Amino acid sequence: MQAHGVIIDLQVLRAWARYHATVPAAAVCAGGTTLMILGTGHVLVDIAGIRLLSPLPIPLMAAIMLGFGLSMASQPDAVLGLPDPWRVKAARAVWAISSSIGGTVLIAALDLHVGSGPTPTALIRNLLVGNGLGLLAVAAGLGVLGWLPPLLLFLTAILFGTYASAQTYNWAFVLRPATTASELATTATIFLVGITAVALRPPVPRLTDRRI
Amino acid sequence: MRILSPSMAFRSLYGPWVVLPALTLEGVNLLNRHHPYLGEGAWTVDWLAIPLWIIGVVAAGVVAIDVARLLRPGSRHLVLTATHRSRLLLWATAWAGGPLLLVHTLTLITALVAGRVNDPSVGWAQMGAAYSVQCLGLLWFVALGGLIGRFIPPLLAGPVAVGAAFLTVLALSGASAGTPAFRLLNFGGATITLIGLRWNLAYLGVQALLLIGSGLFAVLVIPTVRGARLTLRWPALLTLIVIVAVIASATRWAPPGHRTVPAAAAAPTHCLSRAPVICIYYEHRRDAATIAATLTRLESAANRAGYSALVSDRLEESSRTYTPTRAGTRGFPHPSSLEDTGTLDPNELATSLLTPLTCPQLRDPAKPPPDSYWLNLESVVATWLHLAGLDPASAMAGDPEHISDKLSAQKVTSILQGFAQCKLTE
């Protein structure tokens, strides 16, 4: 396929996808999407016997999971030790951005906003936060632990992010069903830092397996 | 064996590093909400269970990765995995669970020392039992992660173990614990005082047995290689099915009742010699000065203004099982405002003192008292706050017009006499 001088070779694309953990990523994304669809209109009111100060919409959690799943697609399957010219760096950035756009389009297309539930913008915010934090882990060579930063942020927010009047602290914004401009700016920063880190630093899996 | 050394463990495994988020979460929990649990032994142990489920979920995910890497060819552990595979898995699990237990124990000791807990009302043995079950719970999550890691590739092992651990928390932790049913993963997490309660030792015993049994299975089972897949032999698979069935049906066969049950009624013993005499539970003595200052202010103001019906000879803290009934003695529970915000709400204290807790109408949700009772109660409380120079409007959520009216001493006496006789409808 050729358009405007840019060649998209499907074989190269397939090889690129196979080189990365696209299949596990798809499995996690499928889980996140299913949870988001089934969880629409549902909330968690307590966890581990502890009543939450404000009910937690399940889709907010699923969006974080979907975002992390998308970041897994940037995890390489092997260390090739090849040169890393700028075009490869750009390809990594395009790959990560494309997967994020795919997730964003999916959320927008599903249009799961119900009543006072989370808005699509809030779900996209959580997706990009989960994605950005996961990408940072991949760039740090800790791709197998990519789930840890978004998970810790979200679970800690559930436990300590709400105060007595059912308001959330600013750092726990991933719990909010709607978004503000400052939250979106923070989200964009996390996402862009993640993308930049993955693009500039070859994701070398320091302690992971050659074969996954 | 080099794998035994801490430096080797920290370099080659992720498990030992779980200590960092555990330390952070336990530390934040220790300082959270103005640490209202300090001083009360039972509450301290229960409070420390609040972040355990997060630590457990994270530990399960991390250990799953470690075990998955150790069991697969091509990993950097190839040399190490060639012999003593089962022992390696045990060490990998121990290097995750051990530091977690250390952190939890140090946190508990810190909280007990900071709260000067020297004579817990429930006794040290009860506290030790509840703490032991919490430790077993942490190890159980580690074992669960290890079990999942035996069958899932490293990259997916983390998310799958985290998902499985989170689902077990939702299914087995006893959401809200509203019904007195057995919940395997209910380790506590009280956010209000537990004075007047003790732990149900039969409940804790069944928890411990199930956690040890299922945890040992998860740690010791070794999968067999069948083609490219790792599977279980049929005896192990059968055992796993039995364990799942036993845990799933535990709500039917385990001893009924809540995790905590009422203890013998006991009056507070930490009394301040002043008029009126104010008695607080010894374990709440760090709040004594704050509570006594407000109580004395309220009582002195009523005395000076001639509102004798508001004046008591003795004020005693009540518990889940103890309510003072002697004439001239009023009771109040440990103020929730202190527990929630760290500052005492005089309105809450005055309302507690005037509420006729012994009246059966207040304990029957099917037949709540009429609105006139609540209006009378609020009016008397507002009057009392007025007398003490406190602003009722800032403390009360009621109608500002009616709470600004100060009742006469005769009216207050009439209302409180009605309360004393449980006539709440006039």
Side-chain angles (χ1 to χ4, degrees):
Chain A
M1 187 161 49
Q2 183 166 5
H4 302 291
V6 179
I7 299 169
I8 301 173
D9 188 328
L10 285 179
Q11 274 190 323
V12 170
L13 191 63
R14 198 156 52 229
W16 182 273
R18 288 187 67 131
Y19 169 64
H20 290 90
T22 315
V23 174
V28 174
C29 290
T33 308
T34 308
L35 185 64
M36 199 184 304
I37 294 169
L38 296 179
T40 298
H42 293 84
V43 292
L44 284 178
V45 292
D46 40 37
I47 297 178
I50 301 161
R51 183 165 285 277
L52 303 178
L53 288 171
S54 59
L56 172 70
I58 290 174
L60 285 176
M61 188 163 42
I64 288 256
M65 183 178 168
L66 180 57
F68 148 69
L70 292 172
S71 74
M72 281 175 78
S74 293
Q75 170 68 26
D77 193 13
V79 183
L80 297 181
L82 295 174
D84 193 47
W86 71 267
R87 281 201 296 186
V88 177
K89 295 182 195 297
R92 278 200 299 270
V94 169
W95 178 250
I97 290 170
S98 305
S99 61
S100 311
I101 290 173
T104 305
V105 169
L106 177 70
I107 288 177
L110 287 172
D111 192 18
L112 298 171
H113 183 54
V114 175
S116 60
T119 60
T121 321
L123 296 179
I124 290 167
R125 174 200 65 200
N126 280 15
L127 175 136
L128 294 178
V129 168
N131 196 2
L133 292 175
L135 287 173
L136 280 173
V138 169
L142 297 167
V144 286
L145 287 174
W147 49 270
L148 187 57
L151 180 87
L152 270 181
L153 172 66
F154 198 73
L155 296 188
T156 309
I158 290 175
L159 204 56
F160 300 122
T162 313
Y163 47 92
S165 51
Q167 300 292 308
T168 47
Y169 294 108
N170 283 336
W171 65 266
F173 65 92
V174 286
L175 298 182
R176 293 176 182 158
T179 53
T180 63
S182 60
E183 286 170 23
L184 291 178
T186 307
T187 303
T189 306
I190 292 171
F191 177 67
L192 289 175
V193 169
I195 291 284
T196 310
V198 158
L200 294 182
R201 188 171 187 276
V204 179
R206 184 166 58 90
L207 286 173
T208 56
D209 302 89
R210 277 181 57 82
R211 298 293 308 169
I212 51 170
Chain B
M1 287 176 70
R2 287 178 61 215
I3 190 74
L4 299 183
S5 69
S7 64
M8 182 64 183
F10 274 90
R11 272 189 292 125
S12 61
L13 300 171
Y14 291 124
W17 294 98
V18 179
V19 79
L20 293 179
L23 204 58
T24 309
L25 287 166
E26 295 252 23
V28 170
N29 183 54
L30 209 60
L31 301 172
N32 197 28
R33 288 171 66 173
H34 314 280
H35 33 77
Y37 58 88
L38 277 184
E40 189 184 320
W43 193 5
T44 301
V45 174
D46 228 58
W47 179 277
L48 295 193
I50 290 174
L52 288 191
W53 66 276
I54 296 186
I55 297 171
V57 167
V58 169
V62 172
V63 174
I65 296 168
D66 277 342
V67 169
R69 290 162 63 222
L70 284 168
L71 278 174
R72 273 160 186 81
S75 78
R76 68 201 303 264
H77 299 283
L78 185 60
V79 178
L80 294 170
T81 54
T83 57
H84 302 303
R85 175 179 283 184
S86 60
R87 204 179 297 174
L88 270 173
L89 295 186
L90 271 179
W91 280 115
T93 311
W95 265 113
L100 288 184
L101 294 192
L102 187 66
V103 166
H104 192 56
T105 306
L106 288 178
T107 310
L108 177 63
I109 291 171
T110 305
L112 292 178
V113 170
R116 295 181 181 180
V117 178
N118 51 23
D119 186 20
S121 55
V122 291
W124 292 105
Q126 280 250 331
M127 285 168 57
Y131 156 77
S132 302
V133 171
Q134 291 176 358
C135 291
L136 288 174
L138 279 174
L139 293 179
W140 189 85
F141 279 110
V142 169
L144 175 70
L147 181 67
I148 290 168
R150 282 159 165 78
F151 305 100
I152 309 279
L155 193 58
L156 271 181
V160 171
V162 162
F166 191 74
L167 287 178
T168 54
V169 165
L170 292 182
L172 303 175
S173 66
S176 295
T179 52
F182 177 81
R183 303 288 181 180
L184 181 66
L185 301 183
N186 182 358
F187 305 124
T191 51
I192 55 173
T193 175
L194 292 177
I195 293 279
L197 296 176
R198 61 179 176 79
W199 281 290
N200 182 349
L201 289 180
Y203 190 113
L204 297 183
V206 175
Q207 267 186 307
L209 277 176
L210 286 177
L211 290 171
I212 291 171
S214 53
L216 276 179
F217 169 82
V219 168
L220 296 176
V221 71
I222 297 291
T224 54
V225 181
R226 190 165 293 170
R229 291 185 306 133
L230 293 166
T231 59
L232 281 178
R233 290 180 198 277
W234 71 264
L237 190 62
L238 200 63
T239 312
L240 179 63
I241 292 169
V242 169
I243 287 173
V244 171
V246 167
I247 290 176
S249 64
T251 50
R252 296 175 186 274
W253 58 263
H258 283 285
R259 188 169 163 276
T260 49
V261 291
T269 55
H270 186 71
C271 295
L272 307 175
S273 304
R274 59 176 76 186
V277 174
I278 297 168
C279 293
I280 287 166
Y281 284 102
Y282 177 69
E283 290 178 272
H284 292 161
R285 62 193 181 283
R286 78 186 187 104
D287 297 325
T290 310
I291 295 172
T294 304
L295 287 176
T296 307
R297 181 175 181 174
L298 287 168
E299 291 282 321
S300 304
N303 211 1
R304 274 198 308 273
Y307 283 68
S308 57
L310 293 172
V311 181
S312 307
D313 301 328
R314 190 179 174 91
L315 301 172
E316 287 186 347
E317 184 182 355
S318 57
S319 75
R320 308 286 186 97
T321 50
Y322 174 76
T323 305
T325 51
R326 279 181 298 181
T329 302
R330 284 205 172 99
F332 61 93
H334 192 247
S336 60
S337 52
L338 262 183
E339 295 170 353
D340 291 341
T341 63
T343 51
L344 181 62
D345 177 6
N347 168 44
E348 183 201 357
L349 204 53
T351 305
S352 301
L353 288 169
L354 298 176
T355 302
L357 286 175
T358 51
C359 293
Q361 299 98 311
L362 292 177
R363 289 190 230 122
D364 184 3
K367 290 181 184 173
D371 289 347
S372 58
Y373 160 73
W374 299 108
L375 274 174
N376 282 337
L377 180 63
E378 272 197 10
S379 300
V380 177
V381 169
T383 301
W384 205 357
L385 295 177
H386 267 307
L387 295 175
L390 298 163
D391 179 16
S394 66
M396 301 176 73
D399 175 10
E401 270 189 27
H402 93 261
I403 60 178
S404 63
D405 298 335
K406 196 167 81 176
L407 301 178
S408 67
Q410 288 80 9
K411 181 67 178 168
V412 168
T413 303
S414 161
I415 290 173
L416 293 184
Q417 278 175 347
F419 284 4
Q421 296 163 13
C422 290
K423 291 178 182 169
L424 309 184
T425 53
E426 292 173 14

